[in-house]
Amino acid sequence: MIYIFCAPSGSGKSTMVNHLLTCHPNLFELSISCTTRPPRGQEVHGREYYFISMDEFRQRVENNEFVEYEQVYEGLYYGTLKSEIERIERAGRQVLFDIDVKGGINLKRILGDRATSIFICPPSIDELRRRLVGRGDTSPEMIEKRLAKASIEMEDMKYFDRVVINDNLEHAFQQLDAIIEEGEN
Ligand code: ADP
Ligand code: 5GP
């Protein structure tokens, strides 16, 4: 099974994905996307993302290397490489995706029954702002852009197979574990 995690930025996607990777290191692996945005904080090329130039991104689009790609924010492109799914499945692991809402809906459409799409829902926009500010790695201008986008993304929750409300963290982990258990059966 492939799991597609989507949510407005700051809702807790990385926290959910890291929970699965920590609890089941041999079962899951995260697909690493390409992006044209520069690394943030401690991010490393080939770990969080493949950080590439706009020229290289265009070249890879021309070569048909992406399952899906998108301009997620103004001037910033993100894309899922076909080779990532192959790499992870060849290693005998299940693929996890952490991508934006539009990309996730597209990917689910492409992968069909092979994938479960999961929407991580923040308790409120105010709490989302608090978490983005608290994370301390995004400029105030980008935070406002992400919050504006979040309100629109929340309307697409209905297109997902599952919704996990990330209010209390432990409770969110329990909801997620139940979804995974179901997928194993
Ligand atoms: P995303 O990957 O969706 O952008 P993150 O997983 O980075 O979001 O979470 C954003 C911030 O909110 C992080 O600092 C994270 O530690 C914090 N966070 C995540 N889940 C919760 C929660 N249930 N309660 C409080 N803070 C949380
Ligand atoms: P960030 O810059 O905070 O790492 O990510 C910004 C947004 O881009 C997040 O919503 C993230 O999930 C999304 N994203 C990351 N990789 C991809 C991808 O390959 N495709 C799409 N469509 N979105 C992605």
Side-chain angles (χ1 to χ4, degrees), residues 96-115:
L96 304 182
F97 283 105
D98 168 348
I99 69 177
D100 94 316
V101 173
K102 242 168 86 188
I105 294 170
N106 281 337
L107 204 54
K108 168 69 190 177
R109 207 172 287 141
I110 294 163
L111 297 173
D113 287 345
R114 289 176 68 200

Side-chain angles (χ1 to χ4, degrees), residues 8-15 98 127 131 134-135 166-169:
S9 179
S11 306
K13 265 187 326 262
S14 310
T15 307
D98 168 348
E127 175 59 18
R131 287 184 191 173
R135 201 169 63 182
N166 182 19
D167 188 353
N168 173 284
L169 196 55

Side-chain angles (χ1 to χ4, degrees), residues 20-88:
L20 291 185
L21 291 171
T22 308
C23 294
H24 312 277
N26 297 318
L27 198 56
F28 298 112
E29 195 167 335
L30 184 63
S31 162
I32 301 167
S33 296
C34 285
T35 181
T36 63
R37 83 152 163 77
R40 267 192 321 237
Q42 303 299 308
E43 288 178 335
V44 173
H45 178 79
R47 191 178 66 193
E48 283 79 10
Y49 284 105
Y50 301 113
F51 295 99
I52 61 174
S53 66
M54 196 57 233
D55 277 349
E56 186 176 344
F57 201 96
R58 272 194 213 101
Q59 188 59 55
R60 286 174 179 258
V61 171
E62 268 179 40
N63 295 348
N64 200 19
E65 291 180 42
F66 292 113
V67 192
E68 65 78 39
Y69 72 93
E70 225 188 303
Q71 180 173 204
V72 175
Y73 298 106
E74 209 182 313
L76 297 182
Y77 284 79
Y78 294 76
T80 305
L81 291 166
K82 292 177 182 168
S83 58
E84 280 294 289
I85 302 184
E86 289 157 12
R87 175 180 71 79
I88 295 168

